[in-house]
Amino acid sequence: MMPIPEGYFAENVEPIGYHDLDGKPAFKLALQEVNGRWFLYAAHLWHRGWSVLDVTDPAAPELAAYVAGPDNTWTIQIQVAEGKMITALERIAPGWGGVEGKPSSEGFLIWEVSDPTHPRLLGPFRTGSQPTSVAIDPRGKYMYVSNALDSSVSAYVIDLATGTPSAAVNPTGSATNSTDTQPVSIAIDPALGRFVYTANYLGNSVSGFQIDPNAGTLKTTQATPYPSGSKPTALAIVPHGNHSLRGRNTASRRIRQVRAVGAT
C-alpha cells in the first residue's frame, strides 16, 4: 500500500488509495468488473502505453500490467466495455513530448480484455485524422470516434460476436459527420443511446448528432453546434439524458451544465 502524497486538494471527496503507476502519469481512465474483481485501465500522458490495475481493494490498488504503445504517438484515450478495450492513437500535439518529423501512428486498437490483466490485440483500424476520443452506444452495437484535424466523427458497426468494428456506417468517409472545429472529446447519452455529442476545442462549442438505432448512422440535431465557453475539453452526460456537462480548459478549470443539448 502506497501512502497518499501530501499537497492534494479536494472538495466533498476524500482519497482512500494511491498508486504512482511506476512514474507514468495517467490521463484517461476506464473501469470494468470481472468475476467480482474490479480493474482500472489507465492511458498515459507522457508515456506511450496503458496500465492495468486491480482496484478491488481501493485502498490498496495493485499494478497488474503495462502494455507498451507505438513510439512517438499519443495513447491518451481509452474505453473498456463488455470485455473489449479500445485505445486511440494520434499525433502528439507540439510541445507535448513528441518528435517533429518522426513517424507516428493514427487510428485505434481493439483489445480483448476478458482476461483483464492480459490485453490481447485484435487489430488496428483507421479513422479520420488525429482521432481524440471514442464512445460506444449502450447496446454495444455502434462505435463513434472524434477526429480533431478532420473536424468530424467516424462511425462503425461493431461485430457483436468478436467485438471488432466490422464496417464503417458511413462508407463515403468520416467527413459525412462534420462537427465544429477540432472535436477533442465525444460522449453518448448513457440512458438510451439516442444522441452523440462532441466538445469542440477551437469551435468553442458542442456539436450534437442523433443516432439511428437500426443503422447507427448520424443526423445532426436541431440548431447544432451549441455555444460553450472557451475551449471545451471534455463531456459527461447524466444518466437520465436531459443534461450534459462539458469541461473547460485548464486555464479556467470550470465545468458548465447544458440542459437538453440536442433534444428534438
Side-chain angles (χ1 to χ4, degrees):
M1 181 183 300
M2 294 186 179
I4 297 173
E6 297 181 357
Y8 72 87
F9 62 92
E11 184 176 347
N12 297 325
V13 294
E14 289 290 335
I16 57 174
Y18 172 78
H19 200 288
D20 65 5
L21 298 175
D22 284 349
K24 301 179 179 70
F27 185 70
K28 292 293 182 71
L29 304 173
L31 190 69
Q32 77 161 341
E33 181 268 335
V34 179
N35 297 326
R37 302 194 67 83
W38 289 90
F39 298 91
L40 181 68
Y41 298 81
H44 298 289
L45 179 60
W46 296 105
H47 299 79
R48 316 304 162 218
W50 310 272
S51 289
V52 184
L53 296 94
D54 187 330
V55 294
T56 306
D57 179 358
E62 299 178 6
L63 183 62
Y66 174 74
V67 180
D71 191 32
N72 202 46
T73 299
W74 249 348
T75 58
I76 59 178
Q77 307 292 342
I78 190 169
Q79 183 164 331
V80 177
E82 302 295 330
K84 299 295 186 297
M85 179 171 73
I86 302 172
T87 56
L89 308 175
E90 58 181 298
R91 181 179 63 85
I92 299 172
W96 288 87
V99 179
E100 290 294 327
K102 185 177 180 179
S104 60
S105 298
E106 288 190 332
F108 60 93
L109 306 175
I110 304 291
W111 307 77
E112 169 69 50
V113 287
S114 54
D115 181 351
T117 61
H118 297 88
R120 180 172 63 88
L121 183 63
L122 297 176
F125 299 88
R126 294 296 301 172
T127 64
S129 184
Q130 196 173 345
T132 54
S133 190
V134 180
I136 300 175
D137 82 297
R139 296 180 298 168
K141 293 181 62 176
Y142 307 116
M143 181 174 70
Y144 303 93
V145 179
S146 58
N147 305 304
L149 292 186
D150 286 350
S151 295
S152 67
V153 174
S154 298
Y156 302 85
V157 176
I158 296 176
D159 186 328
L160 296 181
T162 64
T164 59
S166 59
V169 171
N170 295 37
T172 56
S174 61
T176 302
N177 305 313
S178 297
T179 68
D180 206 349
T181 309
Q182 197 172 343
V184 295
S185 183
I186 191 167
I188 296 176
D189 81 88
L192 298 175
R194 298 171 298 174
F195 301 102
V196 176
Y197 303 104
T198 63
N200 307 311
Y201 185 75
L202 292 183
N204 299 324
S205 64
V206 172
S207 291
F209 299 88
Q210 186 171 8
I211 300 174
D212 183 322
N214 299 313
T217 51
L218 300 178
K219 179 178 70 173
T220 54
T221 52
Q222 185 176 5
T224 188
Y226 310 101
S228 69
S230 177
K231 298 180 179 178
T233 56
L235 287 168
I237 303 174
V238 294
H240 58 62
N242 291 331
H243 296 76
S244 71
L245 299 176
R246 57 101 187 138
R248 290 185 62 181
N249 64 347
T250 53
S252 59
R253 296 184 183 276
R254 288 196 291 170
I255 293 177
R256 230 177 236 192
Q257 177 175 282
V258 181
R259 180 173 179 81
V261 174
T264 58

